Amino acid sequence: MIRQELRKLATYLFFLAILIIPMLGFRSTSFESQRAFKTLAVFSAILVLNFLVKAFRRGRDTVRAKEKSWVERAGERSDQVRRIYTIGGLILLASAFPLMANNYMIDVGITCLIYVSLGLGLNIVVGLCGLLDLGYIAFYAVGAYTYSLLNLSLGLSFWAALPIGIILGMICGCIIGYPTLKMRGDYLAIVTLGFGEIVRLVLNNWDSLTAGPNGLFGMKRPALYFPDFSEGGLTWTTYYLKSLPALYYLILIIVILTIIGVRRLDNSRVGRAWIAIREDETAAELSGVPTIWIKLLAYALGAAFASVAGAFFAAKLSYTNPNFFLFMESCIVLCIVVLGGVGSIPGIIVAGFILIAVPEVFRELENYRMLAFGAIMTTMMVLKPEGLIPASRRRRELHGFDHRHKQEALDKSER
């Protein structure tokens, strides 16, 4: 257990260094370098303290786990090992994809990963909290235009503008969430649809700020910063991610971090509160769940993930336009959530690749592509309404316990 926690700590510190060093936007001055290393040291100390607390708690859990039979412990360990190998294999396959594909396939893969990130963000609002959002693409636009304006007007880098875009996206999420706190069903869908259209029309008509239908262009690509000691002092070399494989790996890391964040939210107390609101908001409120703040948190966090994807989208193209954020885009993201399985992270990943990559395969059919797309969606909703890879909670809601689960429950009750 201690060895596993140490590996986690080393991994966290490594990724923390990768994320923090570029985000600070270093210059060649020693003051900036000292501030960077001090910031990194503070975050490292926080992670070490967190590791010590978790190790202490894990020790107490180990004592409790010894009370289980060796058969149960062996079964849990085998399931954990199988899950680790499966996830590791998928990550290796995704990492090796640019080495086996041409530029067109890599570009399609980047688009798929962008929509997977959007689907995971919308899953918080729709899948966990049960709030139907038809204007989710507006937060995607907020992230894209925030980075574009900050980069073109103030010269901020991608990493420096990203936190600002996240904060603005969360503020917009709260703005749309507050008027809809007492709304449900169709009324909620109409309000969110109107918000998405308002954002698009503002971007399309505010010529002095957004350049209107012409859009903004010329934004710099994301960059990495590497230390250089060749000239006797510490300087930083800037490397812009201009190639498609480099951009692919960046969005892959963003998606992996998004998956980790959404999964941890799902398994947290906040995630259980979202599910309680989804099942019965009145009962959740009577049980002590602060429904107002929890629903606002769902909107804010979902908007934050969409803003990150939007900022990457604008940086990748170096161009953004209001026509990229039409209502149809919100429908596609919602279809990814529903087709994959409401509340299911693996299902959303699979559905994102199916809905984005498969139409590209049949691009030669042109006008018949959307006909096939609609037929597939209709067939799926009739034959498998819970989605491709349904979440365990959703499966129980639609089908209940099958005979095997009933037999297991009876065996446990007899014990």
Side-chain angles (χ1 to χ4, degrees), residues 258-319:
T258 303
I259 293 172
I260 295 173
V262 173
R263 181 172 178 80
R264 292 185 69 87
L265 286 170
D266 188 11
N267 296 329
S268 66
R269 295 177 61 183
V270 175
R272 295 187 182 93
W274 284 334
I275 294 168
I277 293 175
R278 185 190 69 187
E279 298 300 327
D280 194 328
E281 184 176 347
T282 304
E285 189 171 3
L286 293 175
S287 300
V289 176
T291 55
I292 293 178
W293 298 109
I294 293 297
K295 289 167 71 174
L296 284 177
L297 183 61
Y299 277 115
L301 291 178
F305 289 118
S307 298
V308 175
F312 173 83
F313 175 75
K316 170 184 175 291
L317 292 182
S318 295
Y319 175 71

Side-chain angles (χ1 to χ4, degrees), residues 114-137:
I114 291 175
Y115 276 90
V116 167
S117 180
L118 290 173
L120 291 171
L122 185 60
N123 181 56
I124 294 177
V125 183
V126 177
L128 299 183
C129 201
L131 304 172
L132 182 58
D133 191 351
L134 294 181
Y136 186 72
I137 207 67

Side-chain angles (χ1 to χ4, degrees), residues 9 32 38 42 49 63 77 114 116 122 125 128 160 219 243 245 264 271 280 291 302 308 340 360 370 379 407 409:
L9 178 64
E32 295 290 340
K38 287 181 180 179
V42 171
L49 181 62
V63 175
R77 184 173 294 275
I114 291 175
V116 167
L122 185 60
V125 183
L128 299 183
M219 293 80 74
S243 64
R264 292 185 69 87
D280 194 328
T291 55
V308 175
E360 294 295 330
M370 299 310 297
T379 305
Q407 188 62 38

Side-chain angles (χ1 to χ4, degrees), residues 32-344:
E32 295 290 340
S33 303
Q34 292 176 1
R35 187 182 67 175
F37 288 113
K38 287 181 180 179
T39 306
L40 186 60
V42 171
F43 279 95
S44 301
I46 294 174
L47 284 178
V48 172
L49 181 62
N50 181 50
F51 160 73
L52 295 176
V53 173
K54 290 181 67 176
F56 175 73
R57 292 180 178 177
R58 186 65 62 86
R60 292 189 302 177
D61 295 339
T62 303
V63 175
R64 297 174 184 172
K66 291 181 180 179
E67 299 176 358
K68 298 181 180 180
S69 64
W70 67 272
V71 177
E72 294 178 349
R73 293 200 300 269
E76 292 177 358
R77 184 173 294 275
S78 63
D79 292 340
Q80 185 178 7
V81 171
R82 190 183 306 113
R83 191 181 303 113
I84 292 173
Y85 277 107
T86 302
I87 295 174
L90 292 175
I91 293 176
L92 287 177
L93 181 63
S95 301
F97 174 73
L99 304 177
M100 303 177 292
N102 55 30
N103 286 337
Y104 172 73
M105 296 175 63
I106 295 174
D107 190 39
V108 173
I110 292 174
T111 306
C112 292
L113 290 174
I114 291 175
Y115 276 90
V116 167
S117 180
L118 290 173
L120 291 171
L122 185 60
N123 181 56
I124 294 177
V125 183
V126 177
L128 299 183
C129 201
L131 304 172
L132 182 58
D133 191 351
L134 294 181
Y136 186 72
I137 207 67
F139 308 124
Y140 185 52
V142 169
Y145 271 88
T146 298
Y147 168 66
S148 301
L149 292 172
L150 290 176
N151 183 260
L152 295 176
S153 302
L154 302 178
L156 293 182
S157 65
F158 174 80
W159 303 106
L162 188 60
I164 301 176
I166 292 175
I167 293 173
L168 289 179
M170 296 178 71
I171 292 174
C172 292
C174 293
I175 291 175
I176 184 179
Y178 186 77
T180 62
L181 292 176
K182 301 298 182 182
M183 297 180 181
R184 301 178 186 177
D186 301 338
Y187 302 99
L188 177 62
I190 292 172
V191 172
T192 55
L193 171 61
F195 177 80
E197 288 300 302
I198 287 173
V199 171
R200 185 183 66 83
L201 291 174
V202 168
L203 296 176
N204 198 38
N205 292 280
W206 198 347
D207 294 339
S208 60
L209 181 66
T210 65
N214 295 326
L216 300 172
F217 60 91
M219 293 80 74
K220 293 182 179 179
R221 297 283 180 90
L224 298 179
Y225 301 90
F226 298 97
D228 184 10
F229 300 94
S230 60
E231 298 180 359
L234 177 60
T235 58
W236 296 91
T237 303
T238 303
Y239 173 73
Y240 288 98
L241 304 179
K242 297 182 179 180
S243 64
L244 286 177
L247 293 171
Y248 173 86
Y249 285 119
L250 176 59
I251 188 60
L252 179 62
I253 293 174
I254 292 175
V255 170
I256 291 174
L257 295 177
T258 303
I259 293 172
I260 295 173
V262 173
R263 181 172 178 80
R264 292 185 69 87
L265 286 170
D266 188 11
N267 296 329
S268 66
R269 295 177 61 183
V270 175
R272 295 187 182 93
W274 284 334
I275 294 168
I277 293 175
R278 185 190 69 187
E279 298 300 327
D280 194 328
E281 184 176 347
T282 304
E285 189 171 3
L286 293 175
S287 300
V289 176
T291 55
I292 293 178
W293 298 109
I294 293 297
K295 289 167 71 174
L296 284 177
L297 183 61
Y299 277 115
L301 291 178
F305 289 118
S307 298
V308 175
F312 173 83
F313 175 75
K316 170 184 175 291
L317 292 182
S318 295
Y319 175 71
T320 186
N321 187 291
N323 293 326
F324 291 151
F325 314 107
L326 301 176
F327 169 67
M328 188 60 189
E329 300 297 321
S330 294
C331 293
I332 292 176
V333 179
L334 183 61
C335 288
I336 289 174
V337 176
V338 176
L339 180 63
V342 176
S344 172

